[in-house]
Amino acid sequence: MGSDQYLPIVVLLIGAIGFAVAPLVLAWLWAKKFSPAKPGHDKNAVYECGLESSGDAWVQFKPGYYLYAIIFLVFDVEAVFLLPFATAFTGFSIGDCLAMLVFIFLLVAGLAWAWQKNVLTWA
């Protein structure tokens, strides 16, 4: 066991970092070379849809909308995991079926919790 076995991992790590950093460095060099800085009042002004902002930026938002979104995502992911299970049901062992039953039980427990907490009521 030498250090030669880690050489491919190090090469791939360096390549991954290179692919992430190279476009940033090239964009920075391009900006320094071809686009000179032109600071001014209009360029440094806050821009939001061409209008100056007025009033308070804080808007009250019901957290119930987020709960609906999270519950939708949970049960959407459930459908993604259950579809392959349903299509290949006959090829699974007892252990696989028990694992899916535990998965379904946890999702049903989450649904029962959401129902008990009145998360599913739109009010």
Side-chain angles (χ1 to χ4, degrees):
M1 283 210 176
S3 63
D4 293 340
Q5 68 184 15
Y6 294 112
L7 184 63
I9 295 173
V10 171
V11 169
L12 287 174
L13 182 64
I14 291 171
I17 291 171
F19 273 110
V21 173
L24 297 174
V25 170
L26 289 174
W28 180 75
L29 289 173
W30 183 272
K32 288 289 182 190
K33 176 77 175 162
F34 294 110
S35 50
K38 300 174 192 164
H41 175 69
D42 291 335
K43 192 167 186 179
N44 292 334
V46 176
Y47 177 75
E48 186 176 317
C49 301
L51 302 173
E52 290 291 329
S53 58
S54 63
D56 192 13
W58 292 99
V59 177
Q60 288 188 352
F61 190 74
K62 290 179 129 182
Y65 300 131
Y66 292 114
L67 290 175
Y68 278 107
I70 290 171
I71 289 173
F72 171 77
L73 286 175
V74 166
F75 289 104
D76 192 40
V77 170
E78 170 195 5
V80 167
F81 282 122
L82 286 178
L83 184 65
F85 176 74
T87 57
F89 179 71
T90 57
F92 286 142
S93 67
I94 297 295
D96 297 334
C97 290
L98 288 176
M100 284 309 288
L101 283 175
V102 168
F103 177 69
I104 292 170
F105 172 74
L106 289 173
L107 288 168
V108 169
L111 180 63
W113 175 86
W115 196 320
Q116 179 188 12
K117 296 288 184 178
N118 290 329
V119 174
L120 302 176
T121 59
W122 190 271

